[in-house]
Amino acid sequence: MEILAFGVQSDEKPLIEKAFEGRHEVRCLDVFLTADTAPIAAGYEVVSTSVNCALGHRVLQTLAAGGTQLVAQRSTGFNNIDLEVAERLGMTVARVSSYSPYSVAEFAWTLGMAVNRRIVRAANRTRDFDFRLAGLMGRDMHGRTAGVVGTGKIGEAFARIAHGFGMKLLGWDVAENPACVGLGMEYVSKERLLAESDLVTLHVPLMPATQHLIDAEALRLMKDDAILVNSSRGGLVDTQALVTQLREGRFTGVGLDVYEAEAGLFFLDKSLETVEDDTLARLVTFPNVLVTSHQAYYTRDAVGQIVDATAANVLDYTEGRRSENVLVPRS
């Protein structure tokens, strides 16, 4: 069986091909699955997608009409897939329920420290042989407070890093993580976490209940000199509200690896085009903001685990097994 994989990065391609070697043929495309590209999948029983592929009603109908029966998503998140439509069409949908939490946690910490210590500005200056220190002053994280919003595997990994730097830990989640409690984390209300934390990091999934979890009201609760990091999903933050707060001179730094309107932008080269997203264009102009293109997960370890799990999902599908990765079972 030949599998069609959409949205494959050049670094990812050899890992995907190796994962399926000896099992199935895989055709890797760098284009993302959209309404315009969905017809390419005609004749492919299995299609693999990335998190920035859009699998709404129209796309899923096109896939089903072309014979696709399994969508194997190469990510943990699945808010880009209309599961109800997939079920009505009799399609099976699987994802990767977990992979290295350290990849995202380490990157989140890196983002926080990069904006704290003005690393990008410093690097740009020294490239021009400007070695002044003015405007580069950061602050110690030791003794300050880290607020971890979402204390699952990734949040726990971040908490361990922050604990290692001597930070006080506050947590917010629907359930306490005993490992985080063991690190000295105090679970508090979201409002108290935002008000008392010097660094706030987001590690919750995107769902209706968490859409714009960090809205204008939440941002106003935060310290004026706080650091905000989001390496989870862009929709957790009301970006327009964030821009408004940044224009008022608030926050030491903001590190964003995700953006709520990133589909159609992230993972693509738009350097020679006019980006029409005024909010993003304004966001990247702030000197205390660092935006990266959804790369927190992008380590050889994590991507390797993702593609191995995807290959296992396809094997389970062909052999009639169902694992925890299945979102919509085979009908």
Side-chain angles (χ1 to χ4, degrees):
M1 180 169 60
E2 186 176 20
I3 297 159
L4 184 63
F6 284 93
V8 177
Q9 303 298 310
S10 58
D11 299 326
E12 184 185 15
K13 183 178 178 181
L15 297 177
I16 291 177
E17 291 174 340
K18 182 178 179 181
F20 283 97
E21 188 176 10
R23 299 177 181 178
H24 303 287
E25 295 293 324
V26 58
R27 178 187 175 195
C28 295
L29 303 178
D30 58 2
V31 298
F32 293 95
L33 178 58
T34 65
D36 292 330
T37 61
I40 300 173
Y44 288 90
E45 183 179 348
V46 177
V47 166
S48 180
T49 58
S50 66
V51 71
N52 271 356
C53 292
L55 285 81
H57 184 273
R58 181 180 171 189
V59 169
L60 289 170
Q61 277 197 321
T62 302
L63 292 179
T68 298
Q69 297 182 36
L70 170 66
V71 173
Q73 174 113 319
R74 303 188 308 280
S75 73
T76 299
F78 52 89
N79 53 287
N80 61 317
I81 307 174
D82 191 326
L83 298 180
E84 292 184 2
V85 171
E87 185 174 14
R88 287 203 303 269
L89 292 171
M91 302 175 72
T92 301
V93 179
R95 58 150 179 174
V96 178
S97 58
S98 64
Y99 56 86
S100 169
Y102 309 108
S103 60
V104 178
E106 290 171 4
F107 193 85
W109 180 262
T110 301
L111 275 180
M113 295 309 97
V115 295
N116 174 39
R117 301 304 301 269
R118 314 289 196 255
I119 298 299
V120 174
R121 182 185 296 181
N124 289 337
R125 281 187 184 180
T126 55
R127 187 175 290 112
D128 293 330
F129 299 100
D130 178 353
F131 300 103
R132 293 172 299 161
L133 296 182
L136 301 182
M137 184 175 286
R139 54 181 174 168
D140 293 358
M141 286 293 101
H142 185 275
R144 287 188 161 82
T145 300
V148 184
V149 180
T151 58
K153 293 179 180 179
I154 297 174
E156 178 189 331
F158 186 96
R160 291 186 184 279
I161 296 172
H163 178 263
F165 274 74
M167 297 191 76
K168 175 184 176 182
L169 299 174
L170 297 180
W172 179 82
D173 209 328
V174 293
E176 295 186 3
N177 183 335
C180 291
V181 174
L183 295 172
M185 177 179 284
E186 180 183 1
Y187 279 85
V188 297
S189 67
K190 183 183 75 171
E191 291 73 21
R192 181 182 162 192
L193 182 149
L194 294 172
E196 296 184 11
S197 297
D198 298 290
L199 185 157
V200 175
T201 182
L202 309 180
H203 301 291
V204 294
L206 180 62
M207 55 186 66
T210 59
Q211 177 74 29
H212 286 179
L213 183 71
I214 305 301
D215 56 12
E217 181 180 356
L219 291 166
R220 283 192 291 268
L221 288 172
M222 294 176 62
K223 295 180 178 181
D224 288 342
D225 61 354
I227 294 170
L228 173 64
V229 175
N230 184 13
S231 58
S232 183
R233 288 292 181 268
L236 298 176
V237 177
D238 183 338
T239 315
Q240 187 56 61
L242 176 61
V243 168
T244 299
Q245 295 291 304
L246 287 166
R247 291 180 64 183
E248 295 176 5
R250 300 192 66 221
F251 307 129
T252 289
V254 175
L256 304 175
D257 185 51
V258 287
Y259 173 60
E260 59 181 326
E262 68 183 53
L265 291 172
F266 282 21
F267 305 148
L268 300 172
D269 181 3
K270 297 289 184 178
S271 60
L272 299 179
E273 302 177 27
T274 299
V275 175
E276 298 178 354
D277 189 324
D278 293 337
T279 302
L280 179 61
R282 184 69 181 93
L283 190 64
V284 299
T285 65
F286 292 103
N288 58 333
V289 174
L290 177 56
V291 179
T292 52
S293 54
H294 206 141
Q295 69 181 81
Y297 78 100
Y298 207 55
T299 67
R300 179 170 293 275
D301 308 83
V303 174
Q305 292 169 16
I306 289 169
V307 298
D308 285 345
T310 301
N313 288 341
V314 174
L315 183 62
D316 286 343
Y317 164 80
T318 58
E319 297 188 357
R321 294 191 299 265
R322 179 178 176 180
S323 72
E324 63 177 352
N325 289 340
V326 175
L327 299 170
V328 178
R330 192 170 190 171
S331 57

